[in-house]
Amino acid sequence: MIVTVGDVAAGGHCVARVEGEVYFVRHALPGETVRIEVNERKKKFAFADAVEIIEASPDRVEPPCPYAGPGKCGGCDFQHAKPEAQRRLKAKVLFDQLTRIGGVDPAKLEGVEVEELPWDEGALGWRTRMQYAVDEDGKPGLRVHKSHDLVHIDECAIATERIRESDLLTKTWDGMGAVGVVDSQDEELAVYTQLRRTARPHHKSGPKLVHQTVGGNEYAIDFDGFWQVHPAAAPAFLACALEFLNPQEGESAWDLYAGAGIFAAGLAEAVGDTGRVVAVENARSSRTASNLSAWKNAGAIEDDVASITPNLGSVDLVVLDPPRSGAGPEVVVALGEARPRAICYIACDAGALARDAKDLAIEGYEITRIRAFDAFPMTQHFETIALFELVDY
């Protein structure tokens, strides 16, 4: 079937409409005429791949990775687009999600772009954490989009140079379901295996504790702990959050879903000895408490955010960095009761941000500032940082 492709949609697709039917097409760009193959049908729409480009967009390029394309590795969604075009597509997704789902006034988003993070290799070589699936023969690879099928690769173009030069992909991992690697500031790569995707990671080699430095402070986390995968992401996000919140001496602050505690540390330095910072994180692998031990005005609670937040009282400032699913109504209601003057929301999913923005509006909070960062080049993903403030503050 030949279709003309319309606007980008969330999920790495563009939308095509033919005789009342809707197709979400991967590997296409807005305005292109392409031949598609349907790979999954739903009641009201279908998913398809663009398998032939008949009229190409001026934004189209040859993918830099030979494993990118229909039926190949599903890790990168936009390798066929110029990097600046990728960022425009992501900005359009952000605008659509916030206005259509979140009810945000379009005027508040005027001029918002997805900003390029500084990196010597541009859109390649940035990914510091990789996990490869392993087949029944013990050979590692990456999965086809929405499939259990594996593509065996020589290297991943978005992985860091140290990961690309390692021997993980040439080894056989008999009996394993996955093998992962972490590139940090340590001299060696950390390598782990998993019997299956949901199993606990097992350390194989390299450091068990990996180290990163942000804002002059060093953080140690377990090899399987969370850290931003783009090397320039954490410093940029911290600087943006502190600029948005403008913490003052003596203020109180929460860092919710704190991870290693970089926002809590930054806030602790800003609010001074008379201020107080509480970090909440339920993953022990983040080692939040030990990372904050140098700050007498900061403490960590190992608990679920939704469970503990209603019991923390009131607060001046909040950094909210939830998982991809978002914070959710329960946490938003608790924040409304705590009545901070400002909430800085770090979002890895625009749809989740939009849903939470709608709930925050009910609590009296509106977006007053927003920036977005291309922390995952070549993929559909990006990071958004939004400042919510009380309307009547």
Side-chain angles (χ1 to χ4, degrees), residues 138-205:
K139 295 180 180 179
L142 295 171
R143 296 195 186 279
V144 176
H145 179 65
K146 296 181 72 173
S147 170
H148 293 293
D149 295 340
L150 281 192
V151 177
H152 297 293
I153 64 174
D154 295 321
E155 67 173 26
C156 175
I158 64 173
T160 62
E161 183 178 3
R162 286 214 299 176
I163 292 178
R164 296 197 306 272
E165 291 178 349
S166 71
D167 61 357
L168 264 71
L169 292 172
T170 61
K171 287 185 174 181
T172 300
W173 303 90
D174 290 328
M176 294 296 106
V179 57
V181 58
V182 178
D183 189 355
S184 64
Q185 292 174 347
D186 298 287
E187 292 184 1
E188 294 180 78
L189 298 174
V191 178
Y192 65 89
T193 57
Q194 288 178 273
L195 290 175
R196 55 189 180 279
R197 188 175 182 182
T198 57
R200 186 178 182 88
H202 174 72
H203 178 264
K204 289 290 291 184
S205 63

Side-chain angles (χ1 to χ4, degrees), residues 219 234 237-239 241-242 255 258 261-268 277 319 321 346:
Y219 300 87
F237 298 171
L238 175 61
L242 292 177
D255 182 2
I262 65 166
F263 297 111
L267 288 166
V277 179
V319 171
D321 188 6
I346 291 89

Side-chain angles (χ1 to χ4, degrees), residues 44-58:
K44 297 183 179 180
F45 57 88
F47 292 106
D49 285 334
V51 295
E52 180 185 355
I53 311 303
I54 298 170
E55 292 184 18
S57 164

Side-chain angles (χ1 to χ4, degrees), residues 31-368:
E32 291 188 325
T33 300
V34 302
R35 186 184 303 278
I36 64 170
E37 287 185 0
V38 174
N39 48 45
E40 185 181 1
R41 285 194 177 274
K42 302 289 186 179
K43 286 185 178 180
K44 297 183 179 180
F45 57 88
F47 292 106
D49 285 334
V51 295
E52 180 185 355
I53 311 303
I54 298 170
E55 292 184 18
S57 164
D59 289 326
R60 178 171 285 275
V61 294
E62 186 68 23
C65 174
Y67 305 107
K72 299 179 182 179
C73 170
C76 291
D77 311 280
F78 291 145
Q79 285 212 11
H80 56 285
K82 296 176 182 177
E84 58 270 26
Q86 296 179 30
R87 295 192 290 273
R88 289 199 303 271
L89 294 174
K90 297 177 187 187
K92 181 65 166 64
V93 169
L94 177 61
F95 180 90
D96 289 347
Q97 295 287 291
L98 287 179
T99 54
R100 295 176 183 177
I101 298 174
V104 176
D105 182 352
K108 291 182 177 289
L109 304 175
E110 189 173 341
V112 174
E113 300 177 349
V114 175
E115 305 171 32
E116 182 182 13
L117 287 173
W119 183 241
D120 290 342
E121 297 186 59
L124 299 174
W126 52 268
R127 191 173 182 93
T128 58
R129 282 160 168 74
M130 292 291 301
Q131 181 165 294
Y132 306 100
V134 177
D135 66 14
E136 294 180 354
D137 296 324
K139 295 180 180 179
L142 295 171
R143 296 195 186 279
V144 176
H145 179 65
K146 296 181 72 173
S147 170
H148 293 293
D149 295 340
L150 281 192
V151 177
H152 297 293
I153 64 174
D154 295 321
E155 67 173 26
C156 175
I158 64 173
T160 62
E161 183 178 3
R162 286 214 299 176
I163 292 178
R164 296 197 306 272
E165 291 178 349
S166 71
D167 61 357
L168 264 71
L169 292 172
T170 61
K171 287 185 174 181
T172 300
W173 303 90
D174 290 328
M176 294 296 106
V179 57
V181 58
V182 178
D183 189 355
S184 64
Q185 292 174 347
D186 298 287
E187 292 184 1
E188 294 180 78
L189 298 174
V191 178
Y192 65 89
T193 57
Q194 288 178 273
L195 290 175
R196 55 189 180 279
R197 188 175 182 182
T198 57
R200 186 178 182 88
H202 174 72
H203 178 264
K204 289 290 291 184
S205 63
K208 289 187 176 181
L209 280 183
V210 298
H211 299 83
Q212 303 283 172
T213 300
V214 178
N217 299 316
E218 185 177 274
Y219 300 87
I221 59 173
D222 289 354
F223 67 92
D224 59 337
F226 173 79
W227 190 266
Q228 291 289 343
V229 293
H230 194 298
F237 298 171
L238 175 61
C240 181
L242 292 177
E243 178 196 350
F244 278 9
L245 288 172
N246 189 25
Q248 301 297 304
E249 183 84 21
E251 286 193 307
S252 59
W254 298 343
D255 182 2
L256 304 182
Y257 309 96
I262 65 166
F263 297 111
L267 288 166
E269 292 176 352
V271 301
D273 293 341
T274 59
R276 179 63 180 166
V277 179
V278 175
V280 181
E281 173 57 60
N282 67 353
R284 292 186 179 182
S285 58
S286 295
R287 296 185 174 263
T288 316
S290 59
N291 284 326
L292 295 176
S293 60
W295 287 270
K296 294 181 180 180
N297 63 340
I301 298 174
E302 187 180 306
D303 206 334
D304 176 68
V305 169
S307 300
I308 195 65
T309 306
N311 304 317
L312 294 180
S314 60
V315 72
D316 296 310
L317 305 170
V318 173
V319 171
L320 187 64
D321 188 6
R324 190 167 300 281
S325 56
E330 190 176 354
V331 172
V332 169
V333 169
L335 291 178
E337 292 174 350
R339 233 54 191 158
R341 69 166 175 84
I343 300 168
C344 187
Y345 191 126
I346 291 89
C348 59
D349 183 85
L353 172 62
R355 292 189 295 273
D356 287 337
K358 189 173 183 179
D359 289 338
L360 280 165
I362 296 172
E363 301 298 324
Y365 290 86
E366 290 185 359
I367 291 178
T368 56

